[in-house]
Amino acid sequence: MRIASAERRTLLVQAALRVIAAHGVSAATTRAIVAEAGMSLASFHYAFRSHDEMMRELIGYVVDAESTAAFAVLQPGADIRTSLRDGLRAFLDYVIADPGHEQVMQELVQYSLRTPGLESMARDQYASYHRAVAELLTGGAAASGVRWAVPVDDVARLVVTVTDGLTLAWLADRDAAAAVRVIDFAADAIAALAVPLTQPIRSVP
Amino acid sequence: MRIASAERRTLLVQAALRVIAAHGVSAATTRAIVAEAGMSLASFHYAFRSHDEMMRELIGYVVDAESTAAFAVLQPGADIRTSLRDGLRAFLDYVIADPGHEQVMQELVQYSLRTPGLESMARDQYASYHRAVAELLTGGAAASGVRWAVPVDDVARLVVTVTDGLTLAWLADRDAAAAVRVIDFAADAIAALAVPLTQPIRSVP
DNA sequence: CCCATTCTGGGTCAACTGTCCCAGACGTGT
DNA sequence: ACACGTCTGGGACAGTTGACCCAGAATGGG
């Protein structure tokens, strides 16, 4: 093999993610990971200097993956309230369909916060969320012919606050109906922050 | 000693909580806990059959503690929007003052969700939160001369959703100003669910 | 004061962890 | 075909973990 060096790192990271999704961060031991990847212990330490180094790369990997996963389809013409509601419901459906994935994200944030030297990665993870949602909100507003009356970054933080709270509560009590009620309320409330875009915005009125 | 049996269990649980707050769930090993409690290994296994049994009791302990910790002071006469905003801000101040505590709560939820046989404790934890917040909301509404236009349990879930999302984001990026903006928005939006209580409610109008 | 019960100190055990090592298999360029 | 660098298998290591065991200290009732 020739190009395997970086690729095998990715294979090990993905195997580690499968182990974490199935049994949690604490079960992601070096041996469990290589077993999942079908490799031997020596291969692991040939690709990574240490288990910690692999975890660092893993967190960077999920942050990148998350920031490019725009799991919302913007429908031009729909009003912003409907777009928000549909987007949040799609997110909930996704969590319900694959609870392991969001649980991994939550666990990795905790892991980052707890591991010396990795605290900044938790910040990066949230910055990545906020940026992705802000882009979605900007696109959604344009598609609905509105603009945000407050900075879009603030609106993005609201949305992420809701999705996080929503996810945690659903993971704990699996009450999807209650989650939908939260979504409908949040969509209404957040949509109220959008104002009609009658005129192109100009700097000096 | 005579009554030490139950008391020593509590002492060990509290020592375990201190260890978890300082270094996370994974650091809460039997030896670290007895060191924190100033006991010997034998004492631990005299009080608890196993480390797992202690963790189960620990989670029950924090759920009980949380449900009786009404960390909000209701001010009669204040309007409900102000009460909500002040209550949420007080919660944020508390998180900022003692980040370890809420981080422990988050970690314990993840631990419950991951540990076979403890999944129901995560549900209990959230049921406990929702019940406590619902009581607070009922009291707050009464103190402000309003009533909730939707079931108070739904309002409670909204509040818990916000506090969870708020806490996670702040733990990650420590942006208190952004958290306050979220709070102010949430207080406005949720207060809109309250309607004036002009008449005593009667079953048949 | 003595004795039975309750507790503890220290040692021990097997299991598991991350890490390392080395002989040898593999593929590649010549 | 050959030699060389790249990789892997299996084994080993020290450290840590949860659990246990037993002799003996502490304690309180008689």
Side-chain angles (χ1 to χ4, degrees):
Chain A
M1 305 237 179
R2 186 55 69 78
I3 50 165
S5 86
E7 186 185 356
R8 229 178 28 270
R9 289 169 73 99
T10 305
L11 287 175
L12 282 167
V13 163
Q14 291 169 340
L17 280 171
R18 289 194 298 274
V19 173
I20 293 175
H23 303 106
V25 169
S26 64
T29 126
T30 313
R31 284 170 175 80
I33 294 167
V34 297
E36 171 71 27
M39 300 184 190
S40 84
L41 268 181
S43 303
F44 185 98
H45 279 96
Y46 190 81
F48 293 103
R49 191 182 314 273
S50 70
H51 185 262
D52 282 356
E53 182 181 311
M54 193 275 306
M55 287 299 287
R56 246 190 304 275
E57 183 151 321
L58 182 147
I59 293 176
Y61 178 87
V62 300
V63 170
D64 284 353
E66 201 80 354
S67 64
T68 64
F71 36 67
V73 186
L74 299 177
Q75 302 204 352
D79 70 351
I80 190 65
R81 181 187 150 282
T82 305
S83 293
L84 275 169
R85 202 195 54 199
D86 291 352
L88 287 170
R89 286 193 182 186
F91 174 78
L92 177 64
D93 289 344
Y94 158 72
V95 173
I96 293 175
D98 182 10
H101 188 271
E102 278 306 304
Q103 206 171 340
V104 169
M105 295 301 123
Q106 298 288 343
E107 284 188 65
L108 287 178
V109 171
Q110 302 292 334
Y111 177 83
S112 300
L113 289 174
R114 278 298 184 195
T115 309
L118 259 61
E119 304 89 348
S120 66
M121 305 218 72
R123 194 195 324 267
D124 294 347
Q125 220 171 327
Y126 268 82
S128 167
Y129 291 169
H130 288 146
R131 184 167 29 77
V133 171
E135 280 178 29
L136 230 48
L137 286 170
T138 303
S144 301
V146 297
R147 64 178 181 86
W148 296 107
V150 299
V152 69
D153 288 345
D154 289 358
V155 186
R157 180 171 276 258
L158 286 172
V159 171
V160 172
T161 300
V162 170
T163 55
D164 270 350
L166 209 54
T167 304
L168 276 173
W170 183 85
L171 283 173
D173 69 10
R174 308 273 159 157
D175 190 339
V180 168
R181 287 196 293 276
V182 170
I183 285 175
D184 290 350
F185 170 81
D188 280 354
I190 295 174
L193 294 175
V195 295
L197 183 65
T198 50
Q199 300 272 3
I201 305 171
R202 49 186 76 188
S203 48
V204 180
Chain B
M1 304 233 181
R2 185 55 70 77
I3 51 166
S5 85
E7 186 185 355
R8 226 172 38 270
R9 289 169 73 98
T10 304
L11 287 175
L12 283 166
V13 164
Q14 291 169 341
L17 280 172
R18 288 195 299 274
V19 173
I20 294 176
H23 303 107
V25 169
S26 64
T29 107
T30 312
R31 283 171 175 80
I33 294 166
V34 298
E36 172 71 28
M39 300 186 191
S40 83
L41 267 181
S43 304
F44 185 98
H45 279 96
Y46 189 82
F48 293 104
R49 191 181 315 273
S50 70
H51 185 262
D52 282 356
E53 182 181 310
M54 192 276 306
M55 286 299 288
R56 244 190 306 276
E57 182 151 321
L58 182 147
I59 293 176
Y61 178 86
V62 299
V63 171
D64 285 354
E66 202 79 355
S67 65
T68 63
F71 37 66
V73 186
L74 300 177
Q75 302 204 352
D79 69 351
I80 189 65
R81 180 186 151 282
T82 305
S83 292
L84 276 170
R85 201 195 55 198
D86 291 351
L88 288 170
R89 286 193 181 187
F91 174 79
L92 176 65
D93 288 342
Y94 158 73
V95 172
I96 292 174
D98 182 11
H101 188 271
E102 277 306 303
Q103 207 171 340
V104 168
M105 296 300 124
Q106 298 287 344
E107 285 188 64
L108 287 178
V109 170
Q110 302 291 335
Y111 178 82
S112 299
L113 288 173
R114 278 299 184 197
T115 309
L118 261 60
E119 304 90 347
S120 65
M121 305 217 73
R123 194 195 323 269
D124 293 348
Q125 221 172 324
Y126 268 82
S128 166
Y129 291 168
H130 288 146
R131 183 166 29 77
V133 171
E135 280 178 27
L136 231 46
L137 286 170
T138 303
S144 301
V146 297
R147 63 179 182 87
W148 297 106
V150 299
V152 69
D153 288 345
D154 289 357
V155 186
R157 180 171 277 258
L158 286 173
V159 171
V160 172
T161 299
V162 169
T163 55
D164 271 349
L166 208 55
T167 303
L168 277 173
W170 183 85
L171 283 174
D173 69 10
R174 309 273 159 156
D175 189 339
V180 168
R181 288 197 292 276
V182 171
I183 285 175
D184 290 351
F185 170 81
D188 280 353
I190 294 174
L193 294 175
V195 296
L197 182 67
T198 49
Q199 299 271 2
I201 305 170
R202 49 186 77 190
S203 48
V204 179

